[in-house]
Structure formats: structure tokens, C-alpha cells
């Protein structure tokens, strides 16, 4: 059942003061039931430290209070098959075969569980009795990133009783087959409470859910799935099968707890504010995501921003937040007009978003020769080379960026015909053996083809090459320059005199 129903009065969470009888706890393949310290290294290996607390990167289990502390710990070892068939593959496994199974995990610093079959697995395996519960908490903003290999990152299961997962003031990320799975008996309750902090749960496979509620071993049950948010908590659930999924005939009950403040829940791309929420940090609404208010819910930006980066915010919510809603750029220009070699070019790029927006080229991109992209989004210059160029432009402001690939074609210069050619001299007198250069001027100045041909009507008197006239022998000759385009011409009369021969 995927329908959602608001529930303001949910089952309370009961913390276990001491470990249930005959419960066993494993961490990284080590049984820790009796308590003590264990060190972890960067490779995720767990080794016993006895009763001595390591200076950093350690695990501590307090058997009297049934509390497991993770202090900057990395766990990449799992419970082996020959140790426990019930929680095999789990980085942290809790098993009770004849009663309740429960644990409180306290987070200090940054903690990681990875490269294991299951992240955290709490199992009350009896088919006749026993609830399962897990509380993850922090007093200092600690975090946990837990992933399994095709199994849930966090899994709380009771085969016959209720199942409860509680997250308090911690930042928890759970990924893989399902991000989080809470499983109870067929007609029991499966509850998830997030009080302060955040939960990001992602089902990585096509059939994975961010948060999955399961009741009994059959494909459907009649138990009660619930999600409670309070303390300004943020829950994000996404997966190939959906954000929040269940197999119960009862609607998922989403609501706020006894705390005076509520929270925000993203079921897939759909975000909803429940209760009275005050932002503790900026909130980004990404591509395809939306944010709306539940009935009687409110959202106070509290000096932070709701950043719309490809998503949407309900109109009434946007109005109530006013200037606290910021928009990342969205480039609106889709095509660019072409240009021509030798002609001035100018085009303006447009983007929606909160000003100011600056523009630039993505790394590795370049404009056609002669053009440049200005920070205000205008492309200007005079193209010098014909051809088609593909490049990516980037629009950026304080809240995000957007990029778009464009194709710009520069055509060859238009044909400008010649209409005249003139020489700088109309007559020229040279002494036999002398030289002089004639200069031809073509109009208009921007004529496309300025090529000319030179000729002499009497090469026994004077020759010409590229405008350089050489006197050969006494006499007269006419030098002619002719344009290739149009055949326009001009002439110069050349007189060659004999060279003086000194008397000896």
C-alpha cells in the first residue's frame, strides 16, 4: 500500500536500559556482547583493545546500558557464516532467538560501514515472541554512512513482534538494496522515528526502496507502518521502486511526534513539510523535486535559504518564505544565431535565477576564433574563421549553476566585388638596369578577391613581377595591372634610357 495518511498520535519509542537476556551482539566479525573496546583502522578492520580506550577510531560497547559507541570508526568486516547464521554478513549484528533484540548506537564524529553484506542488522528471530528496536543517537552531531551489498544499509526485524527504528540528532545515510528496512510480524507495527538530524535512505537497485516496511513473511500483511518526524528533522527516501514502500493493507502514517516542531519528508521527489518546522541549515530542492506544506504546516527559514536548483516550491510556500527562496540559474537560451567571417557578431544568453548571475565557458570549451564570452552573458567579437563550433557555457550564482551546450556556425565572408584598381604612378622613367615598385590599390577596401595580374607590352624594354618593374633596354613599354575579379585595369608608361658608359 503506497497511500499516505497523516497520523499525529503514534506509538511511543521505548529505550532499552539493559541488553535483553541471551542477546548477542557482533561488530566487524567480533562478538562484543560482554563489553569492551575495539579499534578500527582505515581498512575497516576491527581488533580488540580490551578495557583500554584507543585515542581515536574505536568502538565501545557498554553492556550495562546496552550502548554501542562508534567514535570515528570504519567497519568493513562482517559476521562470518560460522559465527552466526542469523546475522551473517552484517557489519553490526544483534540477534536474540528467544526474546527482544535491541541496541542503542551513539555516534561520535564521522563513522562508516561499507563493503559488507548488510550494514546494521537487528533481529528478534523468534516466531512467537520478541520485539526488535534500534536507536541511533548523537550528542554532538555525529554521522553514520551505512551501506550493504544488495541488502539494507539499516535493517530492523522482528519475526513475531513490533519493529522500531529511532534516529535522534544524528546524520544518518543508508544505502543499497533498500536504504532502510523495518520489518515486523504480520499484524504488528513497524515504526521509524527521526527526531532532529537527518536520514537519507536510498535503494540502489531497480527494485530497491529508500525506506521499506514489511509485515510477516508473505507478500502482504495488515500491520501498521508509521513514520514520525520531529525536531526539525529531514528525511529523504528514494529508490528504483519508490521512496517509501510497504506491503501492508494499512496506509503509511506520516506525522509529527510530541515535540513541538515537525519535520520534512521527501518520498521520492515529493517533499512535504509536516508540523511546524524551523530550518537548521539551507535546504536544496533539486532537479525534479518539489516541496509543499501539509495541512496546517509551517516552514520558518530561520535566516537560512530554500534553494531551488531545478525543482519547484509550492506557490503559497514560496510567498510565505519571501526572499528566503533562492533560485539557482536555469539557462533559457536554446540556440544561437550564426555569424559570418569579417562581420561584427553579438548574441545575449539568458538565464532565470537569483541575481547576480555570471557566465563563463566550461573547462575544455572554446568559442570560434575572434569571439569571446563576457561575464554578463554576451558573446561578442568579429569571427575570423569559417566553420561550426560546439562549446558549453556555464551560468553560476551563489546558489548553484547550470550548463548548456551550443553549436555556432560561422559562414565564409560574403563576396564583395571589385569596382576599381589604380596605380600609384601613371608614368615612370628608368635607366637601363634600374628597378622601381608600382603599388596597386583596389576598391572597395573590403573586396573579397584582391588578386591582380601584372603584364608588360614590351618585355624587351621593361618587365614586371608582382609590381616590381625592371628596365631591360632603352625604349618605351606599358605596364598593366588587371584585377582577377572583374578585369578592371590601370596602366603606367615606362621610359627606359640608356645607361651612361664612362670614358676610359
Amino acid at each position: 500500500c503506497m497511500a499516505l495518511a497523516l497520523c499525529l498520535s503514534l506509538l511511543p519509542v521505548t529505550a532499552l536500559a539493559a541488553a535483553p537476556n541471551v542477546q548477542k551482539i557482533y561488530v566487524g566479525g567480533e562478538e562484543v556482547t560482554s563489553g569492551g573496546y575495539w579499534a578500527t583502522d582505515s581498512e575497516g578492520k576491527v581488533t580488540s583493545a580490551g578495557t583500554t580506550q584507543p585515542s581515536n577510531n574505536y568502538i565501545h560497547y557498554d553492556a550495562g546500558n546496552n550502548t554501542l559507541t562508534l567514535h570515528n570508526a570504519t567497519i568493513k568486516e562482517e559476521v562470518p557464516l560460522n559465527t552466526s547464521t542469523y546475522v551473517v554478513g552484517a557489519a553490526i549484528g544483534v540477534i536474540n532467538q528467544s526474546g527482544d533484540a535491541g541496541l542503542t548506537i551513539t555516534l561520535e564524529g564521522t563513522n562508516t560501514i561499507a563493503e559488507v553484506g548488510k550494514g546494521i542488522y537487528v533481529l528478534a528471530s523468534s516466531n512467537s515472541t520478541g520485539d526488535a528496536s534500534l536507536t541511533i543517537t548523537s550528542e554532538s552531531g555525529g554521522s553514520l554512512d551505512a551501506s550493504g551489498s544488495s541488502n539494507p544499509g539499516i535493517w530492523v526485524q522482528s519475526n513475531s513482534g513490533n519493529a522500531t527504528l529511532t534516529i535522534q540528532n544524528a546524520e544518518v545515510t543508508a544505502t543499497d538494496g533498500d536504504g532502510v528496512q523495518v520489518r515486523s510480524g504480520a499484524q504488528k507495527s513497524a515504526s521509524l522515528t527521526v527526531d532532529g538530524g537527518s536520514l537519507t535512505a536510498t535503494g540502489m537497485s531497480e527494485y530497491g526502496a529508500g525506506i521499506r516496511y514489511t509485515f510477516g513473511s508473505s507478500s502482504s500483511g495488515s500491520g501498521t507502518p508509521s513514520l514520525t518526524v520531529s525536531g526539525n528533522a529531514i528525511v529523504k527516501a528514494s529508490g528504483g521502486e519508490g521512496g517509501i514502500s510497504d506491503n501492508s493493507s494499512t496506509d503509511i502514517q506520516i506525522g509529527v511526534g510530541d515535540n513541538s516542531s515537525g519535520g520534512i519528508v521527501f518520498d521520492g521527489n515529493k517533499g512535504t513539510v509536516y508540523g511546524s518546522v524551523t530550518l537548521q541549515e539551507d535546504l536544496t530542492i533539486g532537479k525534479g523535486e518539489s516541496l509543499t506544506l501539509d495541512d496546517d504546516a509551517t516552514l520558518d527559514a530561520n535566516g537560512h535559504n530554500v534553494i531551488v536548483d531545478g525543482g519547484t516550491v509550492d506557490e503559497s510556500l514560496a510567498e510565505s518564505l519571501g526572499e528566503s527562496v533562492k533560485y539557482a540559474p536555469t539557462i533559457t537560451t536554446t540556440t544561437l544565431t550564426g555569424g559570418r567571417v569579417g562581420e561584427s557578431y553579438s548574441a545575449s544568453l539568458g538565464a532565470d535565477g537569483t541575481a547576480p548571475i555570471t557566465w563563463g565557458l566550461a573547462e575544455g570549451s572554446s568559442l570560434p576564433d575572434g569571439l569571446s564570452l563576457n561575464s554578463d552573458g554576451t558573446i561578442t567579437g568579429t569571427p575570423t574563421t569559417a566553420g561550426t563550433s560546439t562549446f558549453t557555457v556555464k551560468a553560476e550564482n551563489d546558489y548553484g549553476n547550470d550548463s548548456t551546450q551550443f553549436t555556432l556556425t560561422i559562414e565564409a565572408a560574403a563576396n564583395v566585388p571589385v569596382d576599381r584598381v589604380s596605380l600609384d604612378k601613371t608614368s615612370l622613367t628608368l635607366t637601363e638596369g634600374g628597378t622601381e615598385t608600382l603599388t596597386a590599390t583596389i576598391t572597395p577596401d573590403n573586396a573579397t578577391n584582391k588578386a591582380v595580374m601584372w603584364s608588360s607590352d614590351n618585355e624587351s624594354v621593361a618587365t614586371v613581377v608582382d609590381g616590381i618593374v625592371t628596365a631591360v633596354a632603352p625604349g618605351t613599354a606599358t605596364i598593366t595591372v588587371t584585377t582577377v575579379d572583374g578585369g578592371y585595369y590601370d596602366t603606367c608608361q615606362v621610359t627606359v634610357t640608356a645607361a651612361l658608359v664612362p670614358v676610359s
Side-chain angles (χ1 to χ4, degrees):
C1 172
M2 285 304 299
L4 303 180
L6 178 64
C7 177
L8 299 179
S9 179
L10 301 175
L11 295 174
V13 176
T14 302
L16 297 174
N21 291 332
V22 302
Q23 171 176 280
K24 291 185 177 181
I25 300 177
Y26 302 89
V27 179
E30 298 276 347
E31 184 176 350
V32 303
T33 307
S34 59
Y37 289 91
W38 286 261
T40 71
D41 59 21
S42 60
E43 301 299 319
K45 184 176 177 59
V46 178
T47 55
S48 176
T51 59
T52 303
Q53 176 181 312
S55 60
N56 199 1
N57 311 115
Y58 65 83
I59 299 162
H60 175 237
Y61 180 59
D62 180 351
N65 292 314
N66 193 30
T67 299
L68 183 71
T69 299
L70 303 182
H71 183 94
N72 293 321
T74 299
I75 307 173
K76 295 182 180 180
E77 292 184 320
E78 60 187 37
V79 179
L81 180 62
N82 60 2
T83 299
S84 172
T85 59
Y86 291 94
V87 291
V88 61
I92 298 176
V94 181
I95 172 65
N96 195 336
Q97 301 179 54
S98 58
D100 296 337
L103 179 66
T104 295
I105 297 177
T106 299
L107 303 177
E108 297 176 354
T110 302
N111 302 276
T112 302
I113 295 173
E115 301 177 18
V116 292
K118 307 175 185 71
I120 302 173
Y121 189 22
V122 177
L123 173 61
S125 65
S126 171
N127 289 322
S128 60
T129 183
D131 296 334
S133 64
L134 171 64
T135 297
I136 302 175
T137 185
S138 177
E139 296 181 356
S140 55
S143 67
L144 171 65
D145 188 341
S147 64
S149 176
S150 75
N151 289 292
I154 298 175
W155 191 352
V156 181
Q157 176 178 338
S158 170
N159 287 344
S160 60
N162 301 316
T164 303
L165 171 61
T166 302
I167 296 173
Q168 296 176 327
N169 301 316
E171 296 181 8
V172 176
T173 299
T175 59
D176 234 303
D178 293 324
V180 169
Q181 185 173 141
V182 184
R183 181 171 179 170
S184 71
Q187 298 179 337
K188 299 295 183 175
S189 69
S191 61
L192 168 60
T193 297
V194 184
D195 180 14
S198 64
L199 169 62
T200 302
T202 307
M204 301 298 289
S205 71
E206 178 183 356
Y207 304 103
I211 299 171
R212 186 184 298 277
Y213 298 91
T214 304
F215 299 87
S217 57
S218 63
S219 60
S220 63
S222 57
T224 304
S226 64
L227 171 58
T228 303
V229 285
S230 59
N232 304 306
I234 296 179
V235 175
K236 288 193 172 186
S238 61
E241 188 176 321
I244 304 175
S245 178
D246 74 300
N247 71 336
S248 176
S249 59
T250 303
D251 291 343
I252 300 173
Q253 302 173 70
I254 300 182
V256 297
D258 295 333
N259 194 310
S260 59
S261 61
I264 301 174
V265 177
F266 283 87
D267 182 2
N269 287 332
K270 182 181 178 181
T272 305
V273 179
Y274 294 94
S276 176
V277 177
T278 301
L279 288 184
Q280 306 302 299
E281 58 185 17
D282 289 350
L283 176 65
T284 298
I285 311 300
K287 185 176 181 179
E289 292 183 335
S290 64
L291 184 65
T292 61
L293 292 172
D294 188 54
D295 294 341
D296 300 321
T298 61
L299 179 62
D300 180 2
N302 189 34
H304 300 288
N305 295 314
V306 174
I307 301 170
V308 182
D309 189 2
T312 59
V313 173
D314 180 76
E315 184 177 351
S316 62
L317 177 56
E319 290 179 356
S320 68
L321 292 172
E323 293 185 357
S324 295
V325 179
K326 307 294 185 182
Y327 295 88
T330 300
I331 296 175
T332 55
T333 302
T334 57
T335 58
L336 291 174
T337 57
R340 190 181 297 276
V341 171
E343 296 182 6
S344 178
Y345 182 87
S346 180
S348 295
L349 300 171
D352 293 333
T354 301
I357 296 174
T358 57
W359 296 80
L361 289 171
E363 185 176 356
S365 285
S366 59
L367 293 173
D369 293 342
L371 299 182
S372 60
L373 173 60
N374 306 305
S375 60
D376 64 356
T378 57
I379 298 175
T380 57
T382 301
T384 60
T385 305
T388 298
S389 299
T390 299
F391 50 90
T392 300
V393 300
K394 185 177 181 180
E396 187 172 11
N397 64 8
D398 290 339
Y399 313 103
N401 60 76
D402 190 22
S403 59
T404 298
Q405 186 179 82
F406 291 100
T407 297
L408 178 56
T409 298
I410 302 300
E411 297 180 359
N415 183 55
V416 178
V418 173
D419 62 18
R420 183 183 177 189
V421 63
S422 59
L423 293 172
D424 60 334
K425 296 180 176 68
T426 58
S427 62
L428 183 62
T429 300
L430 292 174
T431 301
E432 184 179 2
T435 62
E436 188 156 343
T437 300
L438 296 176
T439 300
T441 301
I442 292 176
T443 56
D445 184 61
N446 63 337
T448 302
N449 187 354
K450 293 185 176 183
V452 296
M453 298 177 292
W454 297 86
S455 63
S456 170
D457 69 345
N458 192 349
E459 292 190 345
S460 64
V461 173
T463 60
V464 61
V465 177
D466 293 335
I468 301 173
V469 179
T470 301
V472 177
T476 61
T478 300
I479 302 300
T480 302
V481 62
T482 305
T483 63
V484 172
D485 178 14
Y488 297 95
Y489 66 92
D490 196 11
T491 61
C492 176
Q493 299 300 315
V494 178
T495 302
V496 177
T497 61
L500 294 176
V501 179
V503 177
S504 63

